[in-house]
Amino acid sequence: MKSEHEKETMQRNQKLSESENRIKQKEQSLNQKNEQMQKQVTENEAIKENLARQIELVNIKRSELEKHQEEHIRRLEKVAGLTAEEARNQLVESLKEEARTQALSHIQEIIEDAKSKANKEAKKIIIQSIQRTAAEQTIENAITVFNLESDEIKGQIIGREGRNIRAIEAATGVDLIVDDTPEAIVLSSFDPLRREIARLSLQRLVQDGRIHPARIEEVVEKTKRQLEEQVMEIGERTVIELGIHGLHKELVRMVGKMRFRSSYGQNLLMHSKETANLCAVMAAELGLNPKLAKRAGLLHDIGKVPDEESELSHALLGAKLAEKYGEHPAIVNAIGAHHDEMEMSYVISPSFRHATPSQAPVPAPAARSCRATSSVSKTSRTWRWHTTALRKPTPSRRAVSCA
């Protein structure tokens, strides 16, 4: 029992001894850490004091620098005779002026370059447009030759004492030139529509054989009605061919009348179709509305085929007619401005103005031909008819002047 008790006591003492050793080790470790912390705090305090001294030194240096800078500025102002604000303003103005000069120079260079490129591009577009829309040109004359089967029919057309020919001229507004030309009568008028009415009327009268004033008036009126239907059909066919929709019937009729009108040697309808296609191509190249441009191109010369005479130029009259029949304001402006008689208010008008092919005065050969025709009309226009008993010339009759 005693030995066991001693053994237990030794074990307990040993455990206590080990615990004490661990506690001492922990105390030593804590003491070391505490010393390190104290040392770190001391170092931090030293660093803090050092930083405070450096900050104070920097502030002092800054104050001195500001004083030196102010003194330097005062000396510069004294030497220059200007305050800092005035010098700054002068510098800014100088820089502004220099920048403005350079900008103007660059702008001018850009404008010149843009003009050069624009001219080249415009020429390219016009050439391409003309190549893509090449059209035939139909030359209309001031006369129409009506062929006869024999010269005996001339007497029937002239009638007793010239009453039949006077009736034809009064009904159609066309001069009939009956001369020594075999088997032919010349119809003279600057209105192709009237010449066509006279030609068709004569054709029907000759075929029918009944030629007298009452019959002449009846046939001419019937021919006018039929030709009016033909004019409408030509106009409708033209707008369908060009893909133009919603055109007023009166404008369609005027388009058809262009078929019987010439301008500077070119058939007006052909000219208007060519212009319409040119305008559409150019508008597409320029990013504009090609349908609107084509419509304006077709209608640009409707002022040349009015139902009634007007003191207005054909461009202004055409604009008035287009506005009357409900066309788009851009089309009205393009028509009125295509000869610079109206201010261009829409972007399509300048491009349309350049797309409209220019028309030159009548060439000298044509003018000479016209004068020759007039001379022949005045000097050799006689009525001659043949019977077995009589060949009787009648006095010269007036002819429409080419002037």
Side-chain angles (χ1 to χ4, degrees), residues 232-270:
M232 198 68 184
E233 182 182 347
I234 292 171
E236 290 173 351
R237 189 164 58 245
T238 300
V239 297
I240 291 172
E241 179 185 339
L242 293 175
I244 296 173
H245 306 287
L247 205 63
H248 194 280
K249 288 186 177 180
E250 283 300 313
L251 294 179
V252 173
R253 186 176 65 84
M254 290 180 184
V255 170
K257 284 179 68 177
M258 291 181 185
R259 168 62 184 82
F260 302 96
R261 174 77 158 80
S262 61
S263 179
Y264 295 102
Q266 184 182 9
N267 181 270
L268 190 59
L269 182 59
M270 293 292 292

Side-chain angles (χ1 to χ4, degrees), residues 152-168:
E152 294 179 358
I153 301 175
K154 289 183 180 179
Q156 297 180 14
I157 293 173
I158 293 170
R160 182 179 300 175
E161 297 180 354
R163 64 177 186 175
N164 287 348
I165 197 170
R166 285 196 295 270
I168 294 172

Side-chain angles (χ1 to χ4, degrees), residues 125-134 242 244 270-301 330-331 334-335 337-338 347-358:
I125 290 173
I126 291 173
I127 291 170
Q128 288 177 349
S129 302
I130 291 172
Q131 289 174 345
R132 289 169 59 183
T133 59
L242 293 175
I244 296 173
M270 293 292 292
H271 165 69
S272 297
K273 289 167 66 176
E274 179 185 19
T275 302
N277 289 324
L278 276 171
C279 289
V281 172
M282 293 184 68
E285 292 287 343
L286 297 170
L288 304 177
N289 188 335
K291 291 184 178 180
L292 205 65
K294 181 182 285 188
R295 197 181 187 101
L298 178 65
L299 299 178
H300 81 281
D301 270 346
I331 295 177
I335 294 172
H338 82 274
V347 68
I348 196 175
S349 298
S351 58
F352 173 81
R353 169 68 182 85
H354 293 291
T356 307
S358 60

Side-chain angles (χ1 to χ4, degrees), residues 66-345:
E66 289 176 355
K67 289 179 181 179
H68 285 298
Q69 188 175 5
E70 291 176 0
E71 182 64 25
H72 183 64
I73 291 172
R74 281 195 297 270
R75 289 179 181 177
L76 288 175
E77 289 176 352
K78 185 177 179 180
V79 171
L82 295 171
T83 64
E85 187 66 25
E86 291 173 346
R88 187 182 299 109
N89 291 336
Q90 285 190 4
L91 180 60
V92 169
E93 289 299 325
S94 175
L95 292 174
K96 279 184 180 180
E97 188 63 28
E98 183 180 355
R100 190 179 293 112
T101 303
Q102 292 180 356
L104 288 174
S105 176
H106 287 308
I107 289 172
Q108 190 62 31
E109 290 177 1
I110 292 170
I111 290 174
E112 293 297 329
D113 185 58
K115 284 182 179 179
S116 175
K117 290 181 179 178
N119 287 332
K120 291 180 181 178
E121 192 65 23
K123 290 177 182 177
K124 179 181 176 183
I125 290 173
I126 291 173
I127 291 170
Q128 288 177 349
S129 302
I130 291 172
Q131 289 174 345
R132 289 169 59 183
T133 59
E136 296 180 359
Q137 292 189 357
T138 304
I139 298 177
E140 297 284 347
N141 297 315
I143 61 173
T144 298
V145 177
F146 181 73
N147 295 313
L148 302 171
E149 293 182 359
S150 68
D151 284 337
E152 294 179 358
I153 301 175
K154 289 183 180 179
Q156 297 180 14
I157 293 173
I158 293 170
R160 182 179 300 175
E161 297 180 354
R163 64 177 186 175
N164 287 348
I165 197 170
R166 285 196 295 270
I168 294 172
E169 290 182 337
T172 61
V174 175
D175 286 337
L176 272 67
I177 302 174
V178 183
D179 54 17
D180 292 333
T181 305
E183 298 179 354
I185 292 176
V186 176
L187 310 179
S188 176
S189 173
F190 280 103
D191 188 338
L193 191 60
R194 290 184 180 181
R195 291 206 312 273
E196 184 67 10
I197 292 172
R199 187 187 69 80
L200 293 174
S201 299
L202 275 174
Q203 187 177 11
R204 289 172 180 170
L205 288 168
V206 169
Q207 288 175 353
D208 184 58
R210 295 176 295 168
I211 306 177
H212 53 81
R215 177 62 178 165
I216 289 169
E217 291 181 2
E218 178 186 348
V219 170
V220 169
E221 286 301 319
K222 184 177 180 181
T223 303
K224 284 181 179 179
R225 289 194 298 270
Q226 291 180 349
L227 198 60
E228 189 68 25
E229 293 176 0
Q230 184 182 350
V231 164
M232 198 68 184
E233 182 182 347
I234 292 171
E236 290 173 351
R237 189 164 58 245
T238 300
V239 297
I240 291 172
E241 179 185 339
L242 293 175
I244 296 173
H245 306 287
L247 205 63
H248 194 280
K249 288 186 177 180
E250 283 300 313
L251 294 179
V252 173
R253 186 176 65 84
M254 290 180 184
V255 170
K257 284 179 68 177
M258 291 181 185
R259 168 62 184 82
F260 302 96
R261 174 77 158 80
S262 61
S263 179
Y264 295 102
Q266 184 182 9
N267 181 270
L268 190 59
L269 182 59
M270 293 292 292
H271 165 69
S272 297
K273 289 167 66 176
E274 179 185 19
T275 302
N277 289 324
L278 276 171
C279 289
V281 172
M282 293 184 68
E285 292 287 343
L286 297 170
L288 304 177
N289 188 335
K291 291 184 178 180
L292 205 65
K294 181 182 285 188
R295 197 181 187 101
L298 178 65
L299 299 178
H300 81 281
D301 270 346
I302 58 172
K304 291 183 178 180
V305 287
D307 293 327
E308 299 177 358
E309 294 297 327
S310 173
E311 295 181 357
L312 295 174
S313 67
H314 79 273
L316 296 178
L317 180 59
K320 184 178 179 182
L321 290 171
E323 184 178 18
K324 177 181 177 181
Y325 294 117
E327 286 300 308
H328 192 282
I331 295 177
V332 174
N333 182 254
I335 294 172
H338 82 274
H339 282 312
D340 298 324
E341 296 175 289
M342 181 185 292
E343 184 179 355
M344 297 182 183
S345 306

